[in-house]
Amino acid sequence: MNITIVNCFDTYEHRADLLFKYLTEAGHMVTVLTSDYQHIGKIKRTANKDRYLFFDTIPYYKNISLRRACSHIQLSKDIFGYVEKNINTINLLWVFVPPNSFVKAAANVKRKYDKVKLIFDLIDLWPESMPITSIKNIFPFTCWKNLRDKHLNSADYIVTECNLYQSILKNNLNKMMVKTLYLARPFVKYIPQLDLPDKKIALCYLGSINNIIDIDCIEDIIKKCQKYKPVMLHIIGDGENKSGLVSKIQKTGAQVIDHGIIYDRYQKQRIFDSCHYGLNIMKKSVCVGLTMKSIDYFEFGLPIINNIHGDTWDAVEVYNIGMNYTGKPIDWDYLENTEQRKKAREFFETFLTELDFHRKVSNILEKMKYE
């Protein structure tokens, strides 16, 4: 098949790369249509990639702004205009969502060219996942949401990044073919080299420290932990709220060790192997089923302290890979169970490797043959 993957964000590029690699190795001709704008750095990208076509994108500098909305709408017009011009060479459109404008634009193409198969891959939910609880259900956010909801049924198949999204959108996905496809990593053998402190509790926070992270909750967890032992918090990452997090944690009397941004897996392993738990904490208003940071934690056998409902909450309950935090006192006699490290790694190997990702993609394509 000739397969075209459509993506807006560099933050989703890992998923695009996973798909591209598997589908090309399976013998398909794959092209990725994507933005030339890097969302995290708010800069234009310069690096090219084979079989990736980058579209000129209007820059924006605030995550919630009219300029950003205009940027997404224009990118939708440009990319799906290109798709229409080349429609005779495309058998399958695999469209990453958000932005929600991609859903409407792809649905318009599907209505004109019904022979083209269409998959919507829901990687995030807008506006549900944004920390704007009080205004999510008023104009213009309702219109923004409807760009997605009113056109999802145009797809031949719906893929979701987590089970939680299927629950939230169940009325819109009724009678449609749907499958959860978690993000994945290559299987790399992990040999623990634990170096845990005896007289302290060592926690790790990995990832961007932005406006969806619940700093107050992290502070509360650390205060409760300190009733048991002194706490040290390792931070791997950066973000606009980093100084606020560091300041609050230091005021509790806990030690903060700031490692900055680290990509090297061996450096991360060294830090993870010196921690008891990873923090997987977001604001209650955020709609996320499985975070990137939790995949990192599990890959290195680090159990989590988690407050995110949905897939992660359920996995913690079922597979004993950490603790779901509800605000109650922490039972450290239960938590300091090294068996959880083994179970966290087993969870990664079972559900979050490229092998499982490939199996599910193959199953999706096979089902579409017999639709």
Side-chain angles (χ1 to χ4, degrees), residues 7-180:
N7 177 33
C8 178
F9 300 110
D10 57 313
T11 48
Y12 300 164
E13 196 163 324
H14 173 65
R15 192 172 183 87
D17 290 343
L18 278 171
L19 273 173
F20 181 89
K21 178 184 176 185
Y22 172 70
L23 293 171
T24 52
E25 289 177 351
H28 304 290
M29 177 61 69
V30 185
T31 303
V32 180
L33 310 181
T34 189
S35 166
D36 71 347
Y37 190 63
Q38 293 181 305
H39 172 74
I40 293 178
K42 301 294 189 289
I43 57 173
K44 292 279 189 173
R45 70 184 294 157
T46 56
N48 291 317
K49 293 173 73 169
D50 186 42
R51 303 295 300 174
Y52 275 62
L53 182 59
F54 296 96
F55 285 75
D56 185 37
T57 304
I58 298 170
Y60 55 87
Y61 306 102
K62 294 182 179 180
N63 285 344
I64 299 179
S65 66
L66 179 60
R67 184 178 177 88
R68 180 177 180 180
C70 291
S71 176
H72 293 333
I73 291 169
Q74 186 60 53
L75 182 65
S76 300
K77 290 178 180 178
D78 294 343
I79 287 183
F80 288 96
Y82 176 90
V83 166
E84 283 206 51
K85 289 179 183 177
N86 295 273
I87 199 68
N88 292 329
T89 65
I90 299 172
N91 303 118
L92 169 64
L93 271 175
W94 191 306
V95 180
F96 290 1
V97 182
N100 294 356
S101 54
F102 273 14
V103 181
K104 183 177 180 180
N108 288 339
V109 171
K110 176 67 176 177
R111 278 189 285 270
K112 293 179 185 177
Y113 309 98
D114 186 54
K115 289 184 179 179
V116 175
K117 297 292 185 181
L118 174 60
I119 293 175
F120 286 135
D121 192 341
L122 304 179
I123 303 175
D124 201 352
L125 297 186
W126 287 359
E128 291 91 339
S129 66
M130 296 186 170
I132 49 172
T133 307
S134 61
I135 57 174
K136 284 180 184 179
N137 295 316
I138 64 174
F139 178 87
F141 295 99
T142 49
C143 293
W144 192 17
K145 181 173 178 285
N146 286 338
L147 278 178
R148 179 196 65 211
D149 291 354
K150 289 186 175 181
H151 303 284
L152 284 174
N153 61 5
S154 299
D156 298 285
Y157 209 107
I158 297 288
V159 173
T160 60
E161 193 188 47
C162 58
N163 295 326
L164 176 65
Y165 295 168
Q166 294 181 30
S167 174
I168 291 170
L169 297 174
K170 60 184 178 182
N171 293 333
N172 303 98
L173 303 179
N174 189 32
K175 297 182 180 179
M176 297 189 70
M177 289 197 293
V178 184
K179 193 173 193 69
T180 293

Side-chain angles (χ1 to χ4, degrees), residues 203-207 209 232-238 242 245-247 249 255-262 271 275:
L203 305 176
C204 183
Y205 176 84
L206 169 72
I209 307 166
M232 56 197 306
L233 175 65
H234 294 264
I235 297 176
I236 306 174
D238 206 350
K242 183 174 185 175
L245 172 64
V246 171
S247 175
I249 301 313
Q255 179 185 2
V256 176
I257 304 172
D258 182 4
H259 299 277
I261 298 172
I262 295 176
I271 297 166
C275 293

Side-chain angles (χ1 to χ4, degrees), residues 18 112 225 267 277 282 333:
L18 278 171
K112 293 179 185 177
C225 290
Q267 290 185 53
Y277 289 89
M282 288 187 176
D333 290 333

